[in-house]
Amino acid sequence: MTTKPTTARFFKHLIRLIPKQFSGKVELQNTDGQVWQLYFYRGCITWATGGSNSWRRWRRNCTKCCPRISLETLSLYTYDVCESWQYYIVNNLLKQEKISLSRAICIIKNTLIEVLFDLIQQDHLDTLKITSLTCHLQAEMKQPIFRLSIYEAFEKVKPIWQAWCEANLQKYSPNLSPVLSKPELLEQYTSALTYQKLQILISKKLTLRDLAFYLDRDLLKLTKIFMNYVHQDIIQLTDVPDLPALSVVKIEALNRQTKEIQTKNSQLPETIIKSQKKLVVCIDDCSIVNQVMEKIVTKKGYQFIGIQKSALAVSTLIKIQPDLIFLDIEMPIANGYEICSQLRRIPHLKNIPIIILTGRGSVVDRVRAQFVGCSEFINKPVNLEKIEAIIHKYLYLANTKTDISVVGSLVPASC
């Protein structure tokens, strides 16, 4: 099998499949039913996804290009049904200035190269067929972050594929995961330390691409090492399932849930309804989170203020004196821990309930949050029922207890 014609043949096939200066989505499917989506803007490739491990690929490239972004702490809300949630998230992070343009381009470029490599590796390129060709592009796709002409894409993927073929690896996908089939032979042929390390790595069910990233090793060189064991039947390369997608909450769905919860709580006594004049504040640099929180809070009858700039949070809170605070941990300039610690040193704010919004649930994070004086944790994306429960606990029940204590103080002791 010659390597150069194979790469060229794929791109020639791709050029034949799509119209010139095409803008839209091309969906390709192989004979096994695997589907890939390629997005184009004026004949250039702008995004690609699909295959057997699209979320695994996306998570790995996000972590590689943006190591400081914790994917599990992201709050993802949208009014739109997006063409590709993965692209939407990158675009959203860029708009919120949580990542730089260069890092967004890094994610997209790495993803494009991996997807194109996987497509080239298909056994029967000519059987890749278009199952969908859509000219309509949604807003986030009409102003692409990054573009590659088909020729530029060919030049980037060609040397990677050639090196892979020269190592006789064309039949082995880098999306495969090593599995230990004969541990006794591995133990016999390697040192105790190497055996232990390999066992740990293999037990994690990572793909060759994952392993190369986490070990900071060249993918080709690492694969060659594993192939030595594959040829001896000590290790097998197998498929692994994709990683779970990030949770994206639709605003429409949130609104429906809010109405359902409101219906359940619509029979509140008139005296309680009249007393719901308290102020809830949410400090989060994500405008969408503040919009969602505002919908929940105001529909319960409370006042709401959203603060996006963490540097202004403390001075603003001193002026407005809220009754309940929701506070994001990960923010630029001043993080949630720092703000919480400052608030607890201010006399008229030190007893205000502060609810940490986070995706981090480790013991260390909880201890740190308790140390600076937070009241509770809520995982992001926020759950409507949990927010409702927090409001009920710290505003409704607290208000009820206050009313009871006031009434009790007016009752003569002789009664």
Side-chain angles (χ1 to χ4, degrees):
M1 177 182 179
T2 57
T3 61
K4 186 175 179 180
T6 302
T7 315
R9 190 158 57 92
F10 167 75
F11 282 98
K12 286 178 181 177
H13 183 58
L14 193 60
I15 291 169
R16 285 197 302 270
L17 289 175
I18 63 168
K20 288 183 178 179
Q21 292 296 303
F22 173 69
S23 293
K25 179 182 72 171
V26 176
E27 192 170 89
L28 298 171
Q29 181 175 318
N30 68 4
T31 52
D32 297 326
Q34 276 194 46
V35 178
W36 292 263
Q37 292 84 29
L38 300 180
Y39 293 86
F40 290 83
Y41 183 75
R42 295 181 180 177
C44 292
I45 306 173
T46 59
W47 179 246
T49 186
S52 60
N53 61 353
S54 64
W55 280 101
R56 182 184 290 274
R57 178 198 309 120
W58 184 85
R59 284 172 176 265
R60 181 180 60 252
N61 283 321
C62 281
T63 305
K64 182 178 181 179
C65 299
C66 309
R68 294 186 180 182
I69 292 289
S70 175
L71 298 179
E72 303 308 325
T73 65
L74 295 180
S75 299
L76 307 172
Y77 304 94
T78 179
Y79 287 95
D80 304 318
V81 177
C82 299
E83 284 285 351
S84 172
W85 289 120
Q86 297 161 358
Y87 188 88
Y88 169 83
I89 296 166
V90 174
N91 194 40
N92 215 30
L93 289 172
L94 180 61
K95 285 182 178 178
Q96 294 173 23
E97 298 183 351
K98 289 190 174 182
I99 62 174
S100 64
L101 177 60
S102 61
R103 293 188 184 277
I105 290 173
C106 174
I107 295 169
I108 294 169
K109 188 189 293 185
N110 288 354
T111 301
L112 287 175
I113 290 171
E114 285 192 24
V115 171
L116 292 171
F117 180 100
D118 292 347
L119 284 168
I120 291 168
Q121 197 171 30
Q122 299 306 301
D123 289 336
H124 307 289
L125 290 175
D126 296 334
T127 63
L128 278 173
K129 61 180 181 180
I130 291 180
T131 56
S132 172
L133 194 149
T134 309
C135 293
H136 171 72
L137 281 175
Q138 289 194 319
E140 68 271 10
M141 294 290 185
K142 288 180 179 177
Q143 295 179 328
I145 299 168
F146 175 72
R147 286 186 276 178
L148 267 184
S149 70
I150 293 180
Y151 175 77
E152 288 172 322
F154 167 71
E155 289 299 320
K156 288 185 179 297
V157 180
K158 174 184 169 184
I160 303 171
W161 174 245
Q162 282 185 329
W164 196 259
C165 291
E166 285 166 7
N168 292 318
L169 295 172
Q170 55 267 38
K171 293 183 179 179
Y172 297 95
S173 168
N175 298 318
L176 295 173
S177 173
V179 175
L180 194 56
S181 55
K182 294 180 180 178
E184 67 283 355
L185 286 180
L186 181 64
E187 190 173 15
Q188 180 181 337
Y189 292 141
T190 59
S191 66
L193 183 60
T194 303
Y195 173 72
Q196 186 180 12
K197 285 182 178 179
L198 281 171
Q199 267 199 322
I200 293 170
L201 283 175
I202 290 171
S203 68
K204 296 183 181 298
K205 296 182 179 180
L206 300 172
T207 67
L208 293 167
R209 277 181 172 142
D210 294 335
L211 288 167
F213 165 61
Y214 289 116
L215 294 173
D216 194 22
R217 299 285 296 273
D218 178 76
L219 172 61
L220 182 59
K221 291 179 181 178
L222 183 67
T223 304
K224 285 179 179 179
I225 292 171
F226 276 106
M227 289 308 298
N228 291 329
Y229 299 115
V230 170
H231 294 320
Q232 297 176 65
D233 293 327
I234 296 173
I235 285 175
Q236 292 180 345
L237 295 176
T238 63
D239 293 315
V240 287
D242 198 6
L243 293 177
L246 263 63
S247 175
V248 180
V249 180
K250 306 276 185 65
I251 297 293
E252 293 86 348
L254 261 173
N255 289 342
R256 285 197 299 272
Q257 292 178 46
T258 304
K259 288 177 182 177
E260 290 172 4
I261 293 172
Q262 270 202 301
T263 303
K264 292 178 183 177
N265 298 331
S266 61
Q267 304 302 320
L268 290 175
E270 187 179 349
T271 53
I272 299 299
I273 294 173
K274 286 180 180 178
S275 69
Q276 292 180 348
K277 301 292 183 182
K278 294 185 179 292
L279 174 62
V280 178
V281 170
C282 180
I283 306 165
D284 197 304
D285 58 331
C286 177
S287 61
I288 300 177
V289 172
N290 283 319
Q291 289 171 22
V292 173
M293 291 293 291
E294 183 177 12
K295 284 180 178 291
I296 298 171
V297 171
T298 54
K299 285 186 178 181
K300 288 296 294 177
Y302 297 99
Q303 299 178 73
F304 177 86
I305 293 178
I307 300 173
Q308 281 186 250
K309 295 183 178 180
S310 59
L312 302 176
V314 175
S315 59
T316 305
L317 292 172
I318 290 172
K319 292 177 184 176
I320 62 179
Q321 298 185 33
D323 299 285
L324 177 62
I325 300 167
F326 290 92
L327 177 60
D328 183 29
I329 281 184
E330 293 192 3
M331 292 182 291
I333 305 176
N335 65 40
Y337 294 124
E338 293 166 350
I339 293 172
C340 188
S341 181
Q342 291 178 53
L343 294 177
R344 291 312 186 209
R345 292 196 292 269
I346 300 168
H348 62 279
L349 294 176
K350 67 179 182 180
N351 295 319
I352 302 299
I354 299 176
I355 314 303
I356 294 290
L357 300 175
T358 179
R360 297 178 174 181
S362 70
V363 174
V364 174
D365 291 310
R366 290 182 179 275
V367 169
R368 184 180 179 188
Q370 289 173 359
F371 181 76
V372 296
C374 93
S375 305
E376 287 193 36
F377 267 79
I378 289 186
N379 287 331
K380 297 171 74 175
V382 293
N383 178 284
L384 260 176
E385 293 185 356
K386 287 184 179 179
I387 297 297
E388 291 282 345
I390 290 293
I391 291 172
H392 185 75
K393 177 179 178 180
Y394 288 101
L395 296 184
Y396 167 58
L397 288 182
N399 190 67
T400 305
K401 288 177 182 178
T402 302
D403 290 343
I404 291 170
S405 64
V406 170
V407 172
S409 66
L410 296 175
V411 177
S414 58
C415 292

